[in-house]
Amino acid sequence: MSEPLIFKNLSGKVAIVTGGSRGIGREVCLSLAKAGCNVVVAAKTIKDTPSLPGTIFTVAEEVKALGVDALPVQVDLRNVKDIEACVEKVVAHFGRIDILINNASALWWQDIADTPMNKYDLITGINSRGTFAMTKMCLPHMAKNGWGRIVNMSPPIRLDPGTLAGHTGYYISKYGMTLVALGAAAEYDGKGITANSLWPATVVESLASKNFKLGDEAMWRKASIIADATMAIISEEDTFTGHMLIDDTFLRYKGLEDKDFVKYRCDPNVEPPRVLDMEWSPEDSRGLFKRGDVKTLQKDMDSSTLEKTIKAKL
């Protein structure tokens, strides 16, 4: 029987979670709160709608119900003034910043020729530029107290053609997030501040996975696997820094066994395929999924033969 994960007591600490109003971000906010951490729910959504359920206010209330303080802050990561104002509000309210979870992200999985420049600007503006700006503004406050944890939700940097095909613009933006983590890790090594990136092996259940029809429950794990991996990273010593981590691989390193991953399945009877951490082969002539605009969703789904092959095997 494997040992249960043990997370660090974070009482008195303050965490900013971007994209915290739903999905993975919300799950991380709640996990932090359960460990005693005060949470800043930083996201754009302030009004609940049928297509976008959950707001910074609803998650903040959930966090407070767990016995800690929460601060909802509306932030558009494309706007540096919004980021500056967020950090100022956090410091004014809590007096410190200890943890930053760069989770907010925009998705665009299309070929270079099918990527309008306004879409490229959107994904890079939110993903790599927004992450860089938020990290830049939080680091001095972490350094002031000699302790900090940064986790960027972005993939390991891999340059094989199969990974990049059909996702070039997206991976430029996401690899930028990973580079921010690696750069912060190098610059603050030995100073009590760690920075790592974290990426799921499988599609994770979220509003995006549902709206973009990224398979079904048989292909998804619950967002709790990312939250548990995030908490485990935060709980590591100061020397654990500069890593590009995959969620289930890291949790196995922490002692989980195959049977422990059953609880993360959305379909309890099916182990989801590790489509986001696949080894590339010459047969993979293009990216696994094409997604980005719900108006062309059916066309995107029909264009990916590899996607159909994987679903057929489930």
Side-chain angles (χ1 to χ4, degrees):
M1 184 71 176
S2 57
E3 294 294 325
L5 293 169
I6 299 176
F7 302 139
K8 185 180 181 68
N9 185 319
L10 300 175
S11 297
K13 303 290 188 186
V14 176
I16 297 176
V17 182
T18 69
S21 60
R22 62 180 64 87
I24 290 171
R26 171 182 170 273
E27 196 74 28
V28 172
C29 285
L30 298 180
S31 293
L32 287 162
K34 291 172 184 175
C37 190
N38 301 310
V39 179
V40 180
V41 186
K44 285 176 60 178
T45 308
I46 60 173
K47 185 177 181 181
D48 204 2
T49 66
S51 60
L52 290 173
T55 71
I56 57 175
F57 305 113
T58 59
V59 176
E61 288 303 314
E62 290 183 277
V63 167
K64 289 180 181 178
L66 294 169
V68 297
D69 197 4
L71 181 66
V73 182
Q74 186 180 29
V75 179
D76 183 343
L77 288 177
R78 295 170 295 180
N79 188 331
V80 173
K81 291 184 178 179
D82 269 17
I83 298 172
E84 290 174 341
C86 174
V87 172
E88 289 172 2
K89 288 177 183 177
V90 175
V91 174
H93 186 84
F94 292 109
R96 61 190 300 137
I97 297 172
D98 304 286
I99 298 165
L100 172 61
I101 311 298
N102 284 305
N103 167 69
S105 186
L107 182 148
W108 183 262
W109 296 344
Q110 299 289 350
D111 291 347
I112 295 171
D114 296 326
T115 301
M117 289 311 299
N118 67 325
K119 289 293 185 182
Y120 179 83
D121 291 342
L122 172 71
I123 58 177
T124 54
I126 294 173
N127 300 354
S128 52
R129 185 175 184 270
T131 293
F132 184 93
M134 183 63 84
T135 303
K136 166 186 168 63
M137 293 171 196
C138 289
L139 277 168
H141 298 284
M142 295 178 180
K144 181 180 178 181
N145 293 321
W147 193 91
R149 296 291 184 267
I150 298 168
V151 181
N152 291 354
M153 302 301 182
S154 55
I157 296 174
R158 296 168 177 164
L159 301 179
D160 59 72
T163 297
L164 298 174
H167 301 114
T168 303
Y170 179 73
Y171 274 112
I172 289 173
S173 71
K174 296 298 288 188
Y175 285 172
M177 294 176 68
T178 303
L179 285 170
V180 170
L182 297 179
E187 292 172 10
Y188 287 83
D189 187 32
K191 299 178 182 178
I193 298 171
T194 70
N196 298 279
S197 68
L198 176 64
W199 192 242
T202 73
V203 176
V204 173
E205 182 183 24
S206 68
L207 197 62
S209 63
K210 294 175 181 177
N211 287 348
F212 285 106
K213 296 185 179 179
L214 299 175
D216 53 26
E217 289 191 347
M219 290 188 67
W220 303 339
R221 279 179 175 154
K222 299 174 184 177
S224 56
I225 190 171
I226 296 292
D228 283 354
T230 299
M231 295 302 297
I233 293 169
I234 291 169
S235 302
E236 287 283 352
E237 298 297 325
D238 294 349
T239 52
F240 191 86
T241 188
H243 299 289
M244 300 182 289
L245 304 168
I246 298 292
D247 58 357
D248 59 3
T249 304
F250 173 61
L251 290 174
R252 283 190 171 88
Y253 161 79
K254 295 300 295 181
L256 296 196
E257 300 172 2
D258 287 347
K259 63 180 181 295
D260 299 312
F261 290 90
V262 174
K263 66 182 177 182
Y264 298 124
R265 296 175 182 173
C266 287
D267 182 336
N269 299 311
V270 180
E271 182 62 23
R274 303 175 81 254
V275 296
L276 299 183
D277 188 40
M278 292 177 64
E279 291 294 330
W280 179 78
S281 67
E283 290 76 26
D284 300 335
S285 59
R286 55 176 172 268
L288 175 60
F289 293 102
K290 294 291 185 68
R291 295 293 192 274
D293 189 337
V294 292
K295 295 177 183 178
T296 62
L297 182 57
Q298 192 59 52
K299 178 183 176 183
D300 289 340
M301 293 172 68
D302 292 341
S303 69
S304 179
T305 56
L306 187 55
E307 179 178 350
K308 294 177 184 177
T309 300
I310 289 174
K311 290 179 181 178
K313 290 180 180 179
L314 293 177

